[in-house]
Amino acid sequence: MSTINAYIETHKERFLEELFQLISIPSISSDPKHKESMVKTANAVKELLLSSGADSAEVRQTAGNPVVTGEKIVDEKYPTILIYGHYDVQPAEPLELWVSDPFKPEIRDGKIFARGADDDKGQFFIQLKSFEALAKTNNLKCNVKFLIEGEEEIGSPSLPEFCKKNKELLKADIILVSDTTLLGLDKPSITVGLRGITYYDIEVTGPNRDLHSGLFGGAVANPINKLAELINKLIDDKNRITIPGFYDDVLFIDETERNELARAPFDVDAYNKSLGIPIGVGEDGYTTMERTGIRPSLDVCGIWGGFSGDGAKTVLPSKAYAKVSMRLVPNQDPITIDKLFIDYVESIKPKGVQVKVAPLHSGKGYVSPLDSVAYKAASLAMEKSFGIKPVPTRSGGSIPIVSAFEEILGIKTILMGFGLESDAIHSPNENFPLENFYKGLETVPLFYKYFSELMG
């Protein structure tokens, strides 16, 4: 591996320059105003694949944003790794909370600060440049394919259909993804489970126009008050979701597996302190890590309506809105949950208002087996580079397409991420430690080595 590490050391400043150029494009998939930026980013990814050593790369159209594919076939007898990543990012708002421009990356305190620095441009760049180091030093003992999409942050709506139409193009032995976190550089971990997700818009309508709160207050239902009343009924005093039938398909985790997951080092006091909270709150009977790893949750991700400017305006608003997400666990079907949620909201709808629920996107949860060749290769690679055997963990986050990969392509996924919980993904001042970036570049080539050896 010395020639590979030497190549990385020689070119690491160029790697950062190329990453910064990619991060600088505001590829925000949820905002139609950035459609041109999405196309620009896809083309930039294509050129990066070619310059890194891919034999071919192509920007392919979908019903939504483009997908970028590429490949290098070294030998048909070698195993094939499919690298998945996404080039789209979350919106950067609220902009006033950023210390620096979210799309002008800069290094502070040994970290890259920018939107997409971790999620997922920085992380899939680890995969891209690890591939380059292997290819340019003639150490590539696997065939490699790439699938980099532009809609992960909005639920990957176009990708399942693309996969159905391109099964042969995407044929591989394993899918390798860097879009998850480590417990820490001193506590390496491999994510073996992801929660699923469902996401909704809720619109509450009262009077046909905004009203004077003095002349009409107390006589007409206030949509904001009624929305708050509705939301309050979604979770009980034990922090359990109240939707009838919601827990029917939740996979039961026995004590043996709970004890195994509990081996992951976790300091709850440090966790609370890092978030500036006095105490963690969640479903009774479960630890903090279990609440985010093996149990479902419901959260209001946004709520608005009426007047929110400076000063006072005595208005009784016509409408109020909320965005609600539920994180699901394996065995829960998003389509079933959609119906349960919509029916339940209708049944608890407050008097005097109309309520409309619109599903936005969803995805199933995923569990990766610990006895697979890919997991063993990832574990060996991390143990070699970190000096410590990694522990398996379950993530509270979601990558909706991962379960679809298995259903459509019949391929398992190994989740080998290098981010940290403190990287503030989806938040202002998203960052990615340089140390993690370089540790990823050291580790991924080792995965290739062990995977090819174990596959024979």
Side-chain angles (χ1 to χ4, degrees), residues 443-455:
T443 305
V444 172
L446 289 165
F447 172 83
Y448 278 76
K449 167 182 162 60
Y450 293 123
F451 184 70
S452 62
E453 289 176 356
L454 290 171
M455 288 290 287

Side-chain angles (χ1 to χ4, degrees), residues 182-357:
L182 298 165
L183 292 173
L185 284 175
D186 59 338
K187 294 172 284 191
S189 55
I190 300 172
T191 301
V192 297
L194 295 167
R195 290 196 289 186
I197 188 172
T198 56
Y199 201 107
Y200 310 92
D201 272 337
I202 298 179
E203 177 185 271
V204 178
T205 304
N208 59 9
R209 64 189 186 278
D210 288 357
L211 303 175
H212 188 292
S213 66
L215 298 178
F216 294 92
V220 176
N222 183 319
I224 298 178
N225 292 357
K226 296 303 180 182
L227 176 58
E229 179 184 321
L230 186 155
I231 288 170
N232 189 52
K233 292 180 179 179
L234 297 177
I235 297 178
D236 66 18
D237 59 359
K238 296 184 184 298
N239 291 296
R240 283 179 62 87
I241 296 164
T242 56
I243 301 167
F246 180 83
Y247 291 95
D248 286 357
D249 296 324
V250 170
L251 188 66
F252 176 74
I253 305 297
D254 63 26
E255 285 300 315
T256 301
E257 186 166 357
R258 287 178 73 178
N259 290 337
E260 180 65 18
L261 292 171
R263 288 180 51 240
F266 181 74
D267 186 332
V268 68
D269 292 331
Y271 175 86
N272 294 339
K273 184 178 180 180
S274 72
L275 299 176
I277 57 175
I279 191 172
V281 175
E283 185 180 358
D284 284 6
Y286 293 90
T287 66
T288 298
M289 290 190 74
E290 289 174 338
R291 290 167 181 166
T292 59
I294 64 173
R295 300 299 292 172
S297 62
L298 183 151
D299 285 286
V300 179
C301 299
I303 185 167
W304 69 99
F307 177 71
S308 59
D310 294 334
K313 181 182 180 183
T314 52
V315 61
L316 191 160
S318 170
K319 291 180 179 289
Y321 306 86
K323 290 187 180 290
V324 174
S325 78
M326 283 181 276
R327 299 289 175 163
L328 312 178
V329 293
N331 280 25
Q332 286 187 294
D333 179 24
I335 295 175
T336 301
I337 297 300
D338 282 350
K339 186 177 188 311
L340 292 175
F341 180 64
I342 292 169
D343 289 349
Y344 182 56
V345 169
E346 180 64 26
S347 74
I348 63 171
K349 179 176 67 178
K351 294 179 180 179
V353 295
Q354 300 174 41
V355 179
K356 182 166 60 176
V357 178

Side-chain angles (χ1 to χ4, degrees), residues 41-61:
T41 311
N43 283 304
V45 171
K46 171 190 170 182
E47 294 306 316
L48 284 166
L49 286 174
L50 291 171
S51 64
S52 296
D55 294 330
S56 62
E58 188 173 339
V59 175
R60 300 173 183 267
Q61 300 307 311

Side-chain angles (χ1 to χ4, degrees), residues 38 51 95 103 152 160 168 178 197 206 238 240 254 285 296 332 369-370 388 433 440 445 452:
M38 302 304 296
S51 64
L95 297 176
F103 295 104
E152 195 276 342
E168 188 61 32
S178 288
I197 188 172
K238 296 184 184 298
R240 283 179 62 87
D254 63 26
Q332 286 187 294
L370 302 185
I388 307 170
S452 62

